[in-house]
Amino acid sequence: MLHMRRYRYYVLFTAAVVLLLYQFSKGSEQWHPSASILSNPEHDRDRGSSGITSSHGTNELPQQVNGKTGNDQNKVSIPDLKNPTYGSDNTDHVNVNRPPVSNSDTQGKEKQVFEYDKDGAKKETPAQLVDKPGKNVWDGKQPNPGAHTTTTAHWTRPTQNFPIPDDEIIPLPAGKPKKIPALQYPFGKETKEARLKREDRQEKVKLEMERSWAGYMKYAKGHDELSPVSKRFRDPFCGWAATLVDSLDTLWIMDMRDEFEEALVEVEKIDFTTSATRTEIPVFETTIRYLGGLIAAYDVSGAIYDILLQKAVELAEILMGVFDTPNHMPILYYNWKPQFASQPKRAGASVSVAELGSLAMEFTRLAQITKQNKYYDAVARITDAFYEWQERGTSLSGIFPEHVDASGCNRTAQSELDAQMNELGTKDSKNIYTRSEEPALESAASETTEGELHAFEKRGIAGTPDEDTTIPAKFIENGEEIHVGPDPAVVPKWTPSHADRRSSENSEKETRSALDKPLLPDCVPQGLAPSGWSEQYSMGGSQDSTYEYFPKQFLLLGGLEPKYKTLHIKTTEAVKKWLLYRPMLPDEDRDIRFTSKMITKGEPEIDATTEYEVTHLTCFIGGMFGIGGKMFDIPEDVEIGKKLTDGCIWAYESTPSGIMPEGAHLVPCDDMDDCRWNQTMYDQRLDPLWSTRATRLEEYYKARAEKKRKAKEEAERKAAEAKAEAEAEADPGPQDNIEKSFAGNNGIRRRAPPSKIGSSKNSAEDSRSPRLGAGQIPLQEDEDDDGFNDPARPISHEEYVAKKIENEKIPTGYVDVNFKRYILRPEAIESVWYMYRITGDKYWQDKGWKMFSAIISQTRTEIGNSAIDNVLIRDSRKVDEMESFWTAETLKYFYLLYSDPTLISLDEWVLNTEAHPFKRPT
């Protein structure tokens, strides 16, 4: 009996083991190495040195990553993106296969990097969000009734409406990289004293990073940004942990390896196929922060963490949908949910230059890593469009207006064509246009008008007809086919690779298919063009990073694409001709530069107006001039870069807080070589109405004197009347004799009491009475007040200037400070870092330290650093926002300013506009 009981226990135990093995085998199918998109053995590349070492001086990285051991550290698997595995047609989400977990005996930290908490990630539910305009902020307490709810819609790969044939994809430039002059100063051996000073500063920067990172991970992990005052979080992007992804390479560069490995676990949990906070992807911000952050972290860490490349590819595949337009210009706010992403659409008719042109580096570097030309093709077409436009000419030849029509449609020409077609239809006594009954086609948010969404269907109209030909077209009206043109039997075939190209040879089947498929309304094609009748040109917001990318793309492509050199040189020449100015300062010996904003209607020599602005965003330009001047051997541009960078340093030093404002205006010098301080001119610029104030004040005093004269005459008249009346009462006349006849035996008169007017006791009271005593003149205004107490008195020019400076706390030299905030921006310290690395001058390190000390003193909170409301006062209100670029850029640039110059050398790396380093070809 005992033997049988033992046998039953053995059977039960065996069954349990078999069941567990079965469940494990099912759960591990998706992790099979053969299914990973990162396990294509056909594409390998040499890794080379990352240029960054651990704290022990060696590349102490996990020696087994997804099956790669220490013996094959010089190779990396390139993903095969031609046929990635996605969810089946009956699912609503993408299923990008993940790499297998290593089965090695790796212990401790190395093992934690790769054992992602997939089950935990699935269980996580996004916290409730309080809906605020432009922000999503967790209340930290109760779910808010108006909060967003987690969306269930997931991205799936849509069918392309305008695919590019394989033979038309623009490949990466081939060949050996060209020799480019060294950008970085040849630093020598530093003294012990200098090294200790530098390392002490560097360590203090790192401490700020550690505190900000700890605050983010404790209170905002998995969300976009930390709110460092209230200890909450914000999700202004798509809730994909922007700060975490944006800071990955910073963690590695600062040798915060434990934090880096912890962050990798969170990276794996990000689901780019859905968002609980936004219905559209802000393409520019997503590209520079997320895609750039993942790629840079992959590069700086030695290209061994496949999860980083995998996530970069996953995101890039989603973003590739933005280029599916007739002219392949991108949709910049992309609703990537399936029901919208599948609709044909055009790029916007009014988009910013920066958003359009600042995608190049990220997609180019991804193409280099993956060997997939399609990523490069997507951005090369944008570059070609800018290059063609620059060659064709803009109002300020060489640079582009702030807002661009990227739709590819010449609306004026299309209107004329429509009028011609309608006239032809009128002659045939038929209305050839009917409003489409098909659902409105999707368009980028705020990038097309309502009229375009309900445009007439004009099937078969070619974009640009050949000479001496009539455009064949077929239209549907009330179910009846209406033909226009010489060949009514043919409906031209839509060729999706080119919006303006159609085939005239179609079968009946193709004809039916063309009619059934909803197409975008035809248009007369054009390249990039200004948007609107007024054009703004500057190097500031909405324009900046496109120009920054021209020389950096030249570096990233090893000098193999000369278009970027042409674009850069023509840009800098235009800046020097039209925008560069020297401000007038009390310190006449400080020779600095800024760039202005110019507004024109197309004829700048005649109608241009200039705003002599100074904005924090524009401070990147010092580094841009420095890099371009070095690589293209233009010493003048390096010198201009120094002056532009020093201008931003002056802007920091000029305020009580020691921090530069977001935006302000200065007074330009007429002569850049002779710029003396002129107090009269400065005061006049402070007061836009200075020329009229003296006249208005003079007119006021004339009117006041006339008023006084009239008041005096009136007072004298009344006094005379009162005197005559008093004298009449005192003169005994006939009436007085009558009164005496009625007097009593004692001879006393019976009359009214004598008047007290003019008596000393009541003189003050009587002077205010309408009835005045004899000779009494009413009191006048104090003749010495000069009208200062009169609210109607116009203010003088001198008074206006004094009050404006006092009330607005305007620092000397500024005309106004229209944006007083500081939001932890990096652009000024970015150029300071470039200038130090290019020149080797410790002046930049010392100035940078003053900037850092001021920023920390004014922005530090218990758990991080916050934007502040007003740099014109000390200890300004903190606005409870810590953008991801604080840890991604600002602190990184400060850290690198005090690092060994070999760390992220300019001759080995090129940084994108979010300070993400990409490996340069060698």
Side-chain angles (χ1 to χ4, degrees):
M1 177 66 70
L2 182 61
H3 176 73
M4 292 298 294
R5 287 179 180 174
R6 290 178 178 175
Y7 181 79
R8 286 202 303 270
Y9 294 145
Y10 175 81
V11 171
L12 290 172
F13 175 78
T14 302
V17 170
V18 170
L19 180 61
L20 287 173
L21 288 174
Y22 173 74
Q23 293 294 335
F24 177 81
S25 65
K26 286 188 65 179
S28 62
E29 286 176 0
Q30 61 177 324
W31 293 85
H32 195 278
S34 63
S36 173
I37 70 170
L38 296 176
S39 59
N40 180 9
E42 296 179 4
H43 305 290
D44 291 325
R45 72 171 178 86
D46 294 335
R47 286 186 189 150
S49 173
S50 69
I52 301 176
T53 59
S54 71
S55 58
H56 301 288
T58 59
N59 203 13
E60 293 186 356
L61 302 173
Q63 296 299 303
Q64 186 163 356
V65 184
N66 294 343
K68 294 196 292 287
T69 64
N71 295 327
D72 62 348
Q73 286 293 301
N74 292 325
K75 296 183 179 180
V76 59
S77 297
I78 302 298
D80 181 3
L81 304 178
K82 294 181 179 178
N83 296 295
T85 304
Y86 293 97
S88 59
D89 293 339
N90 59 351
T91 63
D92 63 349
H93 64 280
V94 62
N95 180 21
V96 179
N97 294 308
R98 307 300 186 197
V101 176
S102 171
N103 292 323
S104 69
D105 294 330
T106 306
Q107 300 294 325
K109 298 177 184 177
E110 295 182 0
K111 190 173 182 180
Q112 294 175 9
V113 177
F114 310 109
E115 292 186 348
Y116 303 111
D117 184 9
K118 295 178 68 67
D119 295 333
K122 293 178 181 178
K123 294 176 183 178
E124 287 189 2
T125 302
Q128 294 293 331
L129 304 171
V130 179
D131 195 8
K132 294 186 177 182
K135 300 181 176 69
N136 292 298
V137 187
W138 177 52
D139 65 3
K141 300 176 183 178
Q142 301 297 326
N144 187 279
H148 290 286
T149 57
T150 303
T151 178
T152 57
H154 287 254
W155 174 84
T156 57
R157 184 185 298 277
T159 301
Q160 285 185 290
N161 292 288
F162 311 103
I164 301 173
D166 290 343
D167 61 351
E168 294 184 18
I169 291 179
I170 302 173
L172 281 162
K176 184 179 180 180
K178 294 184 179 297
K179 183 174 178 59
I180 297 174
L183 301 183
Q184 189 152 294
Y185 180 81
F187 290 91
K189 184 178 181 180
E190 63 184 335
T191 65
K192 180 180 180 181
E193 180 183 0
R195 178 177 59 81
L196 291 175
K197 181 179 180 181
R198 173 181 60 78
E199 290 178 347
D200 178 67
R201 291 175 172 179
Q202 186 186 47
E203 183 61 27
K204 289 177 180 176
V205 175
K206 183 177 179 179
L207 289 173
E208 292 300 320
M209 174 64 187
E210 290 175 338
R211 192 169 49 82
S212 293
W213 179 256
Y216 168 79
M217 291 296 283
K218 181 174 182 179
Y219 296 101
K221 181 171 69 174
H223 293 273
D224 287 340
E225 296 173 2
L226 170 68
S227 296
V229 177
S230 61
K231 299 180 180 179
R232 303 177 184 178
F233 60 74
R234 302 168 62 240
D235 281 317
F237 301 113
C238 289
W240 295 333
T243 295
L244 186 141
V245 176
D246 220 1
S247 306
L248 289 169
D249 54 0
T250 303
L251 296 173
W252 187 273
I253 288 169
M254 292 190 182
D255 200 27
M256 297 171 64
R257 300 303 165 81
D258 290 344
E259 291 84 349
F260 179 84
E261 294 175 357
E262 182 184 10
L264 286 185
V265 177
E266 300 303 315
V267 168
E268 200 277 340
K269 298 176 183 178
I270 299 172
D271 185 359
F272 290 123
T273 70
T274 190
S275 171
T277 63
R278 293 189 68 145
T279 59
E280 79 290 322
I281 297 174
V283 175
F284 163 70
E285 297 288 355
T286 300
T287 299
I288 66 172
R289 301 191 195 214
Y290 290 98
L291 186 59
L294 291 166
I295 293 171
Y298 182 77
D299 265 356
V300 300
S301 62
I304 65 169
Y305 293 94
D306 280 351
I307 185 61
L308 296 169
L309 180 57
Q310 178 185 341
K311 280 296 183 180
V313 170
E314 178 182 320
L315 177 58
E317 287 298 297
I318 296 172
L319 293 177
M320 284 296 288
V322 308
F323 303 102
D324 186 25
T325 62
N327 63 348
H328 305 296
M329 294 298 105
I331 302 297
L332 294 173
Y333 291 87
Y334 180 46
N335 192 329
W336 79 116
K337 304 296 170 45
Q339 65 270 33
F340 299 105
S342 61
Q343 298 294 326
K345 56 188 73 68
R346 285 196 177 98
S350 181
V351 301
S352 77
V353 166
E355 290 183 305
L356 183 62
S358 305
L359 313 176
M361 291 186 67
E362 296 77 13
F363 281 92
T364 295
R365 183 58 188 147
L366 186 61
Q368 292 174 334
I369 295 172
T370 63
K371 313 300 183 188
Q372 295 293 315
N373 284 323
K374 64 179 182 179
Y375 298 129
Y376 178 71
D377 171 90
V379 292
R381 291 174 183 272
I382 301 174
T383 299
D384 288 348
F386 276 117
Y387 182 82
E388 184 275 332
W389 194 9
Q390 194 182 65
E391 293 295 303
R392 177 170 24 109
T394 59
S395 296
L396 265 60
S397 183
I399 52 180
F400 311 103
E402 179 177 333
H403 287 95
V404 178
D405 183 350
S407 67
C409 293
N410 188 321
R411 296 162 188 265
T412 302
Q414 185 63 45
S415 297
E416 295 174 356
L417 179 61
D418 290 349
Q420 294 174 8
M421 295 300 294
N422 273 316
E423 178 65 21
L424 180 60
T426 302
K427 290 179 181 179
D428 291 342
S429 300
K430 290 184 178 180
N431 179 12
I432 63 175
Y433 289 126
T434 59
R435 195 174 290 275
S436 173
E437 298 299 327
E438 296 166 342
L441 301 176
E442 218 245 322
S443 179
S446 302
E447 293 184 347
T448 56
T449 64
E450 182 178 357
E452 290 174 305
L453 295 176
H454 301 287
F456 290 111
E457 289 294 325
K458 301 182 284 283
R459 298 189 185 281
I461 301 178
T464 305
D466 296 331
E467 290 186 4
D468 302 323
T469 61
T470 304
I471 306 170
K474 178 186 289 186
F475 305 94
I476 307 299
E477 181 179 6
N478 299 325
E480 176 186 359
E481 294 183 359
I482 299 173
H483 303 277
V484 176
D487 189 2
V490 176
V491 176
K493 179 182 178 181
W494 176 259
T495 305
S497 61
H498 295 287
D500 60 344
R501 187 174 69 184
R502 297 169 184 261
S503 172
S504 61
E505 298 178 357
N506 303 281
S507 65
E508 181 65 20
K509 179 179 180 180
E510 290 171 330
T511 298
R512 292 289 83 189
S513 176
L515 286 173
D516 294 339
K517 182 179 180 180
L519 301 174
L520 289 171
D522 292 289
C523 72
V524 176
Q526 70 173 7
L528 298 178
S531 174
W533 58 274
S534 180
E535 305 168 19
Q536 293 188 13
Y537 294 84
S538 80
M539 293 290 110
S542 298
Q543 298 164 86
D544 45 7
S545 47
T546 286
Y547 303 113
E548 174 190 351
Y549 273 21
F550 292 157
K552 290 183 174 182
Q553 271 285 94
F554 187 86
L555 289 173
L556 189 58
L557 291 170
L560 296 174
E561 178 47 81
K563 289 180 181 177
Y564 291 105
K565 178 178 180 179
T566 302
L567 285 162
H568 172 75
I569 290 178
K570 288 189 175 182
T571 293
T572 53
E573 289 300 318
V575 170
K576 288 183 282 188
K577 177 181 179 181
W578 294 103
L579 304 181
L580 197 66
Y581 76 95
R582 179 181 179 180
M584 185 178 70
L585 304 176
D587 182 4
E588 298 174 7
D589 294 333
R590 191 149 188 178
D591 187 6
I592 61 177
R593 298 289 187 273
F594 290 104
T595 57
S596 62
K597 176 190 290 184
M598 185 169 285
I599 304 169
T600 176
K601 296 178 182 177
E603 298 183 78
E605 293 86 356
I606 300 173
D607 63 15
T609 59
T610 303
E611 295 180 11
Y612 295 96
E613 63 180 9
V614 45
T615 67
H616 204 292
L617 277 171
T618 314
C619 284
F620 84 95
I621 197 173
M624 185 192 85
F625 263 82
I627 291 174
K630 287 287 288 186
M631 79 169 74
F632 300 129
D633 192 22
I634 310 175
E636 175 194 11
D637 284 6
V638 177
E639 293 303 312
I640 291 175
K642 293 178 184 178
K643 294 177 180 180
L644 287 164
T645 304
D646 203 29
C648 293
I649 291 175
W650 170 85
Y652 268 77
E653 295 173 344
S654 66
T655 67
S657 67
I659 302 175
M660 178 182 184
E662 280 289 296
H665 292 91
L666 302 173
V667 180
C669 298
D670 294 330
D671 186 343
M672 288 194 186
D673 296 323
D674 183 12
C675 192
R676 301 176 183 178
W677 177 256
N678 186 324
Q679 186 69 44
T680 300
M681 178 185 294
Y682 176 65
D683 289 348
Q684 290 173 355
R685 293 300 178 92
L686 283 170
D687 181 7
L689 300 178
W690 70 270
S691 62
T692 65
R693 293 196 188 278
T695 302
R696 292 168 59 192
L697 198 59
E698 182 181 355
E699 291 174 350
Y700 164 80
Y701 280 122
K702 285 182 178 179
R704 185 168 181 262
E706 179 66 14
K707 183 179 179 181
K708 284 184 177 182
R709 185 186 65 78
K710 291 181 178 180
K712 184 177 180 180
E713 290 178 352
E714 179 67 12
E716 290 175 348
R717 184 186 63 80
K718 289 183 177 180
E721 291 178 354
K723 181 178 180 181
E725 182 180 353
E727 290 175 349
E729 291 181 355
D731 182 21
Q735 182 65 29
D736 197 40
N737 294 330
I738 296 174
E739 291 179 358
K740 287 182 178 180
S741 67
F742 291 97
N745 294 330
N746 56 7
I748 299 176
R749 289 192 311 163
R750 306 292 186 186
R751 44 178 305 131
S755 173
K756 296 182 181 180
I757 293 178
S759 67
S760 60
K761 182 178 180 180
N762 297 295
S763 59
E765 179 182 351
D766 294 335
S767 69
R768 295 191 298 268
S769 172
R771 185 177 181 182
L772 300 175
Q776 180 72 33
I777 299 176
L779 293 177
Q780 302 296 315
E781 295 180 67
D782 184 356
E783 294 292 339
D784 296 329
D785 74 354
D786 204 24
F788 283 104
N789 296 323
D790 182 4
R793 175 184 176 276
I795 191 170
S796 70
H797 167 60
E798 294 75 15
E799 293 165 345
Y800 176 88
V801 170
K803 285 183 178 294
K804 181 174 182 178
I805 292 174
E806 179 184 2
N807 294 339
E808 299 181 22
K809 297 179 173 58
I810 297 176
T812 303
Y814 289 88
V815 174
D816 61 43
V817 181
N818 50 340
F819 296 105
K820 300 179 178 66
R821 280 192 174 190
Y822 172 67
I823 62 172
L824 308 176
R825 285 202 187 277
E827 287 78 15
I829 189 59
E830 172 185 349
S831 285
V832 169
W833 175 69
Y834 276 113
M835 284 300 107
Y836 173 66
R837 289 293 184 90
I838 289 172
T839 68
D841 191 342
K842 293 187 181 299
Y843 168 87
W844 305 108
Q845 285 186 318
D846 293 338
K847 292 296 185 180
W849 187 247
K850 290 182 179 179
M851 294 164 61
F852 177 78
S853 300
I855 290 171
I856 297 305
S857 71
Q858 298 301 303
T859 67
R860 178 184 278 166
T861 72
E862 179 186 350
I863 61 169
N865 294 77
S866 172
I868 58 176
D869 192 54
N870 188 352
V871 300
L872 301 184
I873 59 176
R874 290 191 59 82
D875 302 321
S876 172
R877 181 182 70 88
K878 295 179 174 62
V879 296
D880 202 19
E881 294 177 3
M882 190 180 88
E883 293 220 35
S884 69
F885 51 62
W886 169 246
T887 50
E889 296 188 74
T890 309
L891 289 176
K892 183 189 298 174
Y893 281 125
F894 276 118
Y895 184 85
L896 290 174
L897 182 61
Y898 305 108
S899 71
D900 186 294
T902 59
L903 182 65
I904 311 296
S905 167
L906 293 179
D907 295 322
E908 298 177 8
W909 301 86
V910 54
L911 281 67
N912 83 335
T913 194
E914 194 74 7
H916 294 309
F918 298 157
K919 193 71 176 174
R920 284 177 52 183
T922 56

